[in-house]
């Protein structure tokens, strides 16, 4: 579907927030800000959602964020749910893992979904808010970063204009024009390997699990990754090696032969999408540059293994938007935005570290690294101690430096419900108190978690909510609007709760 090009903005236009880039991260940020009541201008040089399935693996934390934004059920309904991965060496299983080995969560470890579905739902949700001005085919061609915002020169089919953004969110991807125009170095490691993505449509039945092969008989000496997507589409990533000729490898007949070797001659399939990629792990030194703030691939880049690219970007938006809304509402000083760098730079470092280690394992750089990898894989078949060393990608998790509210089943008015649906969904800080009624507090939503039924409480019938939040009776946990833990305190004393709220807002 093509969206109509928007007309140029009016002369001398100023917008409180401009999001540059209408991909997954830009759309998520625009929706999050609009849900907080902010007007957003969203600029995208294209006139359609992403081509090809792209970032297909949506991690539990990302699904929780989309749950907070009102889209979680769509991911569950359409996406392919999976928790388990299997790793094979040649034709034998070396290792398997369960990413969510416990019950009682609304969202699974992962949902696989073509990125274009997610983007289409985000476009629709942004439009429905009436607060996001989606401007398709608006290309930023110059940017000047000033103390009072960013001045953007924009080209459109209907003419050119300039737009003053009081705040600019640069979500314009790995090749970010804004990053390059501001001359910001984007440094890191280049991996000398090539991969082929083949999305194929087939009725073949594999389990809905992540399957990864080292040195399989159908693609000797290289690795292969298999994921199921909706609509009978399967994502296959073939490692090709650095010497592979990308043009030759793109030839559909050649791809067809590789897929046929994998699926077997009797399996019918169609090729839906082909892409060849190499990758880098790199990041900006800082993500906030005054009033221009970088998110997603514009700020940091990883390899696909571990699915930390798209998920990391959505988590950037989650971290930034409540801060920006609080600053624009005059509830917090601008310094609150420095917390974005303080949290998302180490988060990006963690993602880069995992991604680099996985890539080093998958693509050994020398004979010693290859010997280590082969020994680990061989041992892992029957020695449990070796299994944690098998690294086919450590799959996306929230940044380890902070605690996100855990989900748990609860009953509300005797109806099954989920704890996380009550934390941050109204855009505010939330105090969850166990078995003690907290005082009414300005700017804070309070939730009572009870061990026995009562009309003003969520009933923790399984005990999982209190256990996962680590709350004893009389204790409370204060969560930020992005569901991150801000403080643990006694439930009924107002002063320390208000002080923790002030601290979390940088006041
Ligand atoms: O399973 C993984 O480690 C990631 C799968 C993935 C995600 C995005 C692109 C891609 O080619 C593979």
């Amino acid at each position: 579907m093509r969206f109509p090009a928007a007309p140029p903005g009016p002369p001398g236009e100023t917008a409180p927030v401009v999001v540059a880039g209408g991909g997954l991260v830009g759309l998520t940020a625009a929706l999050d800000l609009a849900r907080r009541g902010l007007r957003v201008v969203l600029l995208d040089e294209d006139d359609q959602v992403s081509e090809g399935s792209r970032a297909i693996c949506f991690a539990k934390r990302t699904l929780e964020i989309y749950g907070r934004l009102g889209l979680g059920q769509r991911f569950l309904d359409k996406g392919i749910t999976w928790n388990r991965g299997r790793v094979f060496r040649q034709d034998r299983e070396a290792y398997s893992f369960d990413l969510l080995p416990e019950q009682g969560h609304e969202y699974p470890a992962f949902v696989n979904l073509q990125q274009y579905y997610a983007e289409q739902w985000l476009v629709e949700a942004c439009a429905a808010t009436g607060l996001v001005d989606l401007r398709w085919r608006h290309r930023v061609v110059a940017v000047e970063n000033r103390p009072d915002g960013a001045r953007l020169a924009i080209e459109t089919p209907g003419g050119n204009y300039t737009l003053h953004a009081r705040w600019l969110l640069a979500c314009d991807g790995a090749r970010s024009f804004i990053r390059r125009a501001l001359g910001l170095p984007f440094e890191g490691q280049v991996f000398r390997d090539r991969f082929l993505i083949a999305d194929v449509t087939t009725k073949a039945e594999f389990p809905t699990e992540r399957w990864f092969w080292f040195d399989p008989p159908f693609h000797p000496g290289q690795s292969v990754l298999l994921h199921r997507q909706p609509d009978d589409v399967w994502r296959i990533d073939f490692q090709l090696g650095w010497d592979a000729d990308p043009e030759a490898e793109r030839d559909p007949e050649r791809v067809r032969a590789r897929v046929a070797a994998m699926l077997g001659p009797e399996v019918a399939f169609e090729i839906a999408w082909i892409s060849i990629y190499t990758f880098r792990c790199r990041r900006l030194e800082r993500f906030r540059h005054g009033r221009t703030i970088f998110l997603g691939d514009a700020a940091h880049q990883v390899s696909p293994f571990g699915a930390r690219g798209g998920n990391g970007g959505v988590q950037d938006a989650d971290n930034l938007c409540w801060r920006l809304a609080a600053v624009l509402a005059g509830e917090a000083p601008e310094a609150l935005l420095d917390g974005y760098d303080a949290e998302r730079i180490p988060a990006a470092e963690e993602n880069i570290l995992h991604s680099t280690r996985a890539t080093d394992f998958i693509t050994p750089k020398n004979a010693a690294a290859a010997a280590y990898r082969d020994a680990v894989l061989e041992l892992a078949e029957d020695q449990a101690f070796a299994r944690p060393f098998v690294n086919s990608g450590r799959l996306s998790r929230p940044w380890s430096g902070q605690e996100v509210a855990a989900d748990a089943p609860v009953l509300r008015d005797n109806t099954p419900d989920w704890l996380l649906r009550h934390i941050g969904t109204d855009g505010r800080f939330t105090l969850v108190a166990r078995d003690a009624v907290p005082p009414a507090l300005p700017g804070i939503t309070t939730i009572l978690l009870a061990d026995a039924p009562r009309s003003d409480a969520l009933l923790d019938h399984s005990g999982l909510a209190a256990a996962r939040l680590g709350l004893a009776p009389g204790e409370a946990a204060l969560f930020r609007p992005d569901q991150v833990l801000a403080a643990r305190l006694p439930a009924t004393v107002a002063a320390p709760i208000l002080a923790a709220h002030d601290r979390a807002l940088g006041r």
Side-chain angles (χ1 to χ4, degrees):
M1 173 183 170
R2 301 249 170 212
F3 303 112
E13 186 185 15
T14 293
V17 185
V18 173
V19 174
L24 189 70
V25 177
L27 287 163
T28 302
L31 180 61
D32 201 335
L33 293 167
R35 288 263 187 267
R36 298 176 192 284
L38 292 174
R39 291 200 166 274
V40 179
V41 172
L42 189 144
L43 308 169
D44 194 86
E45 62 184 16
D46 213 341
D47 60 358
Q48 57 183 345
V49 294
S50 77
E51 242 180 300
S53 53
R54 300 187 54 185
I56 53 166
C57 299
F58 292 85
K60 182 173 192 292
R61 179 63 200 141
T62 300
L63 297 168
E64 290 168 354
I65 293 166
Y66 286 127
R68 180 173 65 69
L69 295 174
L71 294 175
Q73 195 58 45
R74 297 198 82 162
F75 282 80
L76 291 178
D77 290 346
K78 178 72 188 175
I80 301 286
T81 287
W82 64 275
N83 293 307
R84 176 169 283 279
R86 291 188 191 281
V87 181
F88 302 90
R89 180 177 181 230
Q90 296 162 352
D91 54 1
R92 295 184 303 282
E93 183 170 322
Y95 179 49
S96 74
F97 53 87
D98 186 344
L99 295 168
L100 192 59
E102 59 181 31
Q103 300 293 306
H105 294 265
E106 183 173 14
Y107 296 102
F110 274 92
V111 157
N112 283 359
L113 182 82
Q114 290 87 338
Q115 185 172 329
Y116 47 75
Y117 282 119
E119 290 186 9
Q120 182 64 37
W121 301 337
L122 285 161
V123 168
E124 290 163 14
C126 281
T129 64
L131 292 172
V132 183
D133 182 354
L134 288 147
R135 298 188 184 174
W136 302 106
R137 300 200 57 195
H138 282 224
R139 179 198 294 270
V140 178
V141 291
V143 56
E144 195 189 325
N145 199 14
R146 301 170 163 193
D148 64 344
R151 193 180 160 79
L152 303 170
I154 298 165
E155 265 178 22
T156 84
N160 303 342
Y161 69 107
T162 54
L163 171 60
H164 179 79
R166 289 218 172 89
W167 293 90
L168 173 63
L169 272 48
C171 306
D172 53 343
R175 285 190 282 271
S176 169
F177 171 80
I178 293 168
R179 191 186 63 227
R180 284 181 288 125
L182 296 182
L184 301 172
F186 197 42
E187 278 159 11
Q189 194 181 342
V190 184
F191 290 91
R192 289 165 61 84
D193 206 336
R194 295 186 202 282
F195 289 80
L196 160 71
I197 293 181
D199 272 4
V200 301
T201 311
T202 173
K203 297 281 182 202
E205 277 300 328
F206 292 93
T208 44
E209 298 172 337
R210 174 190 194 261
W211 281 17
F212 192 104
W213 288 265
F214 290 97
D215 190 21
F218 54 84
H219 192 55
Q222 305 285 11
S223 61
V224 177
L225 174 62
L226 177 70
H227 272 288
R228 184 178 200 157
Q229 304 174 52
D231 310 332
D232 295 320
V233 178
W234 295 80
R235 157 72 55 86
I236 312 172
D237 284 63
F238 292 97
Q239 184 184 16
L240 298 175
W242 184 237
D243 295 334
D245 172 354
E247 277 323 302
E249 293 296 345
R250 229 183 281 278
D251 175 0
E253 281 318 303
R254 194 153 173 155
V255 176
R256 178 161 273 288
R258 291 200 186 282
V259 176
M262 176 178 177
L263 300 181
E266 70 289 354
V267 176
F269 65 88
E270 294 296 327
I271 294 174
W273 186 52
I274 295 173
S275 173
I276 305 276
Y277 66 91
T278 53
F279 49 77
R280 295 156 188 260
C281 285
R282 53 184 176 170
R283 71 167 172 89
L284 281 171
E285 192 187 344
R286 286 181 293 120
F287 300 167
R288 179 177 177 213
H289 293 262
R291 289 185 167 215
T292 297
I293 305 174
F294 290 84
L295 293 83
D297 284 358
H300 45 73
Q301 216 188 332
V302 289
S303 80
F305 301 106
R308 288 169 179 266
N311 289 297
V314 172
Q315 290 162 34
D316 288 347
D318 184 44
N319 188 292
L320 178 64
C321 291
W322 71 272
R323 297 174 188 276
L324 189 54
V327 170
L328 288 175
E331 291 165 2
E334 276 193 23
L336 182 65
L337 294 164
D338 293 335
Y340 173 72
D341 265 8
E343 294 176 7
R344 294 314 294 166
I345 289 175
E349 274 297 290
E350 188 166 286
N351 285 334
I352 287 171
L353 181 70
H354 282 300
S355 183
T356 305
R357 283 188 182 152
T359 309
D360 285 345
F361 194 86
I362 293 165
T363 309
K365 299 288 163 304
N366 51 49
Y372 164 78
R373 184 195 68 178
D374 292 345
V376 166
L377 288 168
E378 186 151 351
L379 277 168
E381 275 180 45
D382 40 36
Q383 301 291 332
F385 84 88
R387 290 177 193 149
F389 296 98
V390 175
N391 193 344
S392 70
R394 300 273 183 255
L395 285 138
S396 173
R397 296 189 42 76
W399 175 45
S400 62
Q402 61 193 182
E403 188 178 334
V404 179
D407 204 3
V410 290
L411 293 176
R412 188 177 43 142
D413 301 331
N414 230 6
T415 308
D417 201 346
W418 295 101
L419 176 63
L420 219 45
R421 291 185 181 184
H422 298 270
I423 301 179
T425 32
D426 60 0
R428 288 155 49 102
F429 279 70
T430 307
L431 185 81
V432 183
R434 180 171 173 203
D435 279 329
V437 180
L441 299 160
I444 302 174
T445 297
T446 52
I447 303 253
L448 180 58
L449 203 57
D451 296 356
R454 49 186 287 175
S455 60
D456 58 348
L458 296 176
L459 178 63
D460 186 14
H461 58 299
S462 61
L464 282 174
R468 288 182 184 163
L469 296 189
L471 290 180
E475 289 180 349
L478 179 67
F479 293 100
R480 306 188 318 205
D482 60 352
Q483 301 173 329
V484 167
L485 181 72
R488 292 176 182 284
L489 333 95
T492 53
V493 195
I497 301 171
L498 291 170
H501 181 233
D502 278 347
R503 254 196 325 277
L505 280 169
R507 299 199 288 221

